[in-house]
Amino acid sequence: MAAEPTAQESRSRDLDKLLLRPGNLVGPNFEPGPALRDDLKEYGRVLVVGAGGLGCELLKDLALSGFQKLEVIDMDRIEVSNLNRQFLFRLEDVGKPKAEVAAKRVMERVGGVNIVPHFCRIEDKELEFYSKFSIIALGLDSIEARSYINSVACSFLEYDSDDSALEETSKPMVDGGTEGFQGHARVIVPGVTPCFECTIWLFPPQVKFPLCTLAETPRTAAHCIEYAHLIKWDEVHSGKAFDPDDPEHMKWVYNEATKRAELFGIPGVTYSLTQGVVKNIIPAIASTNAIISAACALETLKIASGCSRTLSNYLTYNGAEGLHTKVTEFVKDKDCLVCGPGVLIQLDTSITLEKFIDLLKEHPKLLLSKASITHRGKSLYMQAPPVLEEMTRSNLSIPLFDLIGKIPKDVVHAIGTTTKNDKKTSCLRKLRVVFKGVDEIADMDTAGET
């Protein structure tokens, strides 16, 4: 009589069918066998961005798909309203960091996996942190956060002298998103497929309410919330910027919105709705999260192992009436400021770092304020935290040409804020810096000169 399979053998049974056997749809470098499964455990490092409804599913699915070195980053704490769909959390977890609890729960249930949690903003991590991962999986509910991670991943992409992308420098991403009974999963390979910014038009603009309606005739709970957010905040906190990621700021808006709603007899203002309106958070359903997460985890496994050709390149799911899925192949924007070769900037060798940062504010393609500058992983100037600002402040008076080692042409990265749709967002931009009058650059193609 055959021996009963162990728990580990049972768990890897379906995975082995993908990794241990050849097939007609495999990638060009696919080599089936136990060594591939072991390499996946040893070398497959995946970062999951977001530990909410979709992030919880992603962590679980990736752990069960053979990935043993995972990390997760999320800045939020668990709230009671999360418990209906974020299945890794319990009532006793309310108030605790999502990333830490999610990592702990998955490691308790899946043996052999190690998940490192990071309870912080994605902007708090330097480029070096993101560079160590082979794949980045996104489980986010914010366009701004997606855009930032997209710019970070694209910053690692290098181009040759003919402006052709070097695929070995590409940092693949798998992005998932859900809205009610609808969702999407997409594969982003910078330099090969369109990046998030190439197809930003896929996302509808945020709904805006006329200020006169907010101030005089509010009719919905959202009107009351936006009144507190857009009008009342500035009246009370003149000159102080509202931070949607600060719990105290959000609680203040909620309290003011509640007062406003009571004044006009409008029901429905809740803290959860306040967050949703202010941060443009989209409602989620557990079953949709599970379906989209499964698609994202499978694409992550395909990229890491080559066991099948990857999605080309955007999957949409609609479960509102029956079930409908469709794959659309979008085309890369050759002029994209994020995944392209970078914005070309010609400078005199005497331009100081401080003057360079000022130029970024005025550049028509960038309009980048409060920029921090890095070169090949080294911080030339950091706006924050204060200790790093003080350490790098002396570089401001030094010519950029000297700071990058008197190289005639090179790439630097700028992290700062820009304004989109009247809203300030963090972004990272790749800049191709060329110094005028320096030898060895006479033959450089300066098409698109600024």
Side-chain angles (χ1 to χ4, degrees):
M1 184 175 180
E4 289 291 324
T6 65
Q8 183 61 39
E9 290 172 340
S10 177
R11 183 192 304 158
S12 64
R13 179 189 58 194
D14 294 326
L15 184 63
D16 288 347
K17 292 178 181 178
L18 293 174
L19 301 183
L20 305 186
R21 306 188 306 189
N24 295 323
L25 299 177
V26 300
N29 299 319
F30 179 65
E31 296 182 4
L36 176 60
R37 185 177 57 194
D38 295 339
D39 287 346
L40 195 68
K41 296 176 181 178
E42 182 66 24
Y43 303 111
R45 302 192 66 174
V46 180
L47 173 66
V48 176
V49 185
L54 187 55
C56 284
E57 292 281 355
L58 273 170
L59 277 176
K60 175 260 295 181
D61 288 346
L62 291 171
L64 291 173
S65 297
F67 293 96
Q68 293 192 344
K69 293 185 177 180
L70 302 171
E71 299 192 27
V72 57
I73 182 169
D74 195 298
M75 58 167 287
D76 290 335
R77 294 181 181 271
I78 298 165
E79 300 174 7
V80 172
S81 60
N82 301 147
L83 303 182
N84 71 322
R85 63 192 182 279
Q86 298 176 18
F87 69 98
L88 294 177
F89 308 142
R90 305 290 180 266
L91 189 59
E92 62 268 23
D93 299 323
V94 171
K96 298 177 182 177
K98 287 184 177 181
E100 295 177 4
V101 176
K104 176 175 176 288
R105 287 277 151 71
V106 173
M107 286 191 290
E108 288 174 349
R109 297 295 298 271
V110 183
V113 66
N114 180 53
I115 305 177
V116 180
H118 302 275
F119 175 48
C120 62
R121 293 160 54 97
I122 53 177
E123 296 89 348
D124 293 342
K125 295 293 187 181
E126 296 186 0
L127 288 178
E128 185 179 358
F129 168 78
Y130 294 101
S131 68
K132 64 184 180 181
F133 299 101
S134 48
I135 303 170
I136 299 176
L138 308 183
L140 296 165
D141 57 9
S142 162
I143 293 175
E144 290 78 16
R146 279 192 181 94
S147 183
Y148 182 79
I149 292 294
N150 176 74
S151 63
V152 168
C154 291
S155 71
F156 299 113
L157 181 65
E158 297 179 8
Y159 284 78
D160 61 20
S161 57
D162 296 322
D163 282 350
S164 297
L166 302 174
E167 292 189 25
E168 63 270 20
T169 65
S170 186
K171 181 82 63 181
M173 291 179 288
V174 178
D175 172 48
T178 65
E179 180 179 356
F181 288 102
Q182 300 175 336
H184 79 263
R186 68 186 299 182
V187 172
I188 298 175
V189 182
V192 179
T193 70
C195 76
F196 181 78
E197 205 70 25
C198 290
T199 53
I200 192 70
W201 50 268
L202 285 170
F203 293 85
Q206 186 174 351
V207 176
K208 294 184 178 180
F209 303 108
L211 289 179
C212 58
T213 299
L214 302 181
E216 299 173 8
T217 56
R219 296 184 296 274
T220 67
H223 288 166
C224 298
I225 293 168
E226 285 290 57
Y227 171 82
H229 171 216
L230 299 176
I231 298 176
K232 193 69 176 178
W233 176 271
D234 287 336
E235 290 180 357
V236 177
H237 306 88
S238 180
K240 183 178 181 180
F242 176 79
D243 183 359
D245 296 325
D246 188 324
E248 293 299 321
H249 290 196
M250 192 65 72
K251 187 71 179 293
W252 187 93
V253 169
Y254 165 64
N255 291 334
E256 291 298 318
T258 300
K259 296 176 186 176
R260 180 79 168 170
E262 290 175 353
L263 180 63
F264 285 87
I266 298 173
V269 174
T270 63
Y271 186 74
S272 177
L273 180 62
T274 301
Q275 288 182 303
V277 171
V278 172
K279 301 175 71 173
N280 195 28
I281 295 176
I282 297 166
I285 293 174
S287 58
T288 310
N289 284 337
I291 292 168
I292 296 302
S293 172
C296 290
L298 179 58
E299 294 306 316
T300 304
L301 180 63
K302 289 179 185 178
I303 294 171
S305 67
C307 65
S308 179
R309 290 198 292 266
T310 57
L311 184 73
S312 296
N313 44 47
Y314 193 100
L315 167 74
T316 54
Y317 163 82
N318 190 337
E321 295 182 8
L323 189 152
H324 179 263
T325 61
K326 179 182 179 182
V327 175
T328 304
E329 184 171 5
F330 289 108
V331 180
K332 180 179 179 293
D333 179 1
K334 61 182 178 61
D335 297 319
C336 180
L337 293 178
V338 178
C339 67
V343 178
L344 179 63
I345 299 179
Q346 287 193 321
L347 299 171
D348 292 324
T349 56
S350 60
I351 291 290
T352 64
L353 180 59
E354 184 173 22
K355 179 62 177 175
F356 176 68
I357 292 173
D358 290 339
L359 289 174
L360 301 183
K361 299 177 187 177
E362 305 163 4
H363 195 289
K365 290 184 178 180
L366 299 171
L367 301 176
L368 199 62
S369 59
K370 296 183 178 179
S372 297
I373 308 297
T374 62
H375 173 249
R376 299 189 179 185
K378 179 183 177 182
S379 298
L380 301 185
Y381 178 69
M382 301 298 292
Q383 296 278 356
V387 63
L388 283 182
E389 194 282 330
E390 184 177 357
M391 289 173 60
T392 56
R393 190 184 305 159
S394 60
N395 286 340
L396 290 173
S397 60
I398 302 175
L400 179 62
F401 183 62
D402 294 344
L403 289 172
I404 67 172
K406 298 185 177 181
I407 300 173
K409 57 182 179 180
D410 210 346
V411 172
V412 299
H413 294 98
I415 303 174
T417 59
T418 189
T419 301
K420 286 186 178 180
N421 300 321
D422 299 324
K423 187 175 182 181
K424 289 187 175 181
T425 60
S426 298
C427 66
L428 185 151
R429 292 291 181 262
K430 185 190 308 178
L431 311 174
R432 290 190 297 163
V433 176
V434 178
F435 292 98
K436 301 175 185 177
V438 181
D439 294 336
E440 302 174 23
I441 65 170
D443 60 342
M444 178 179 181
D445 177 13
T446 55
E449 177 178 322
T450 60

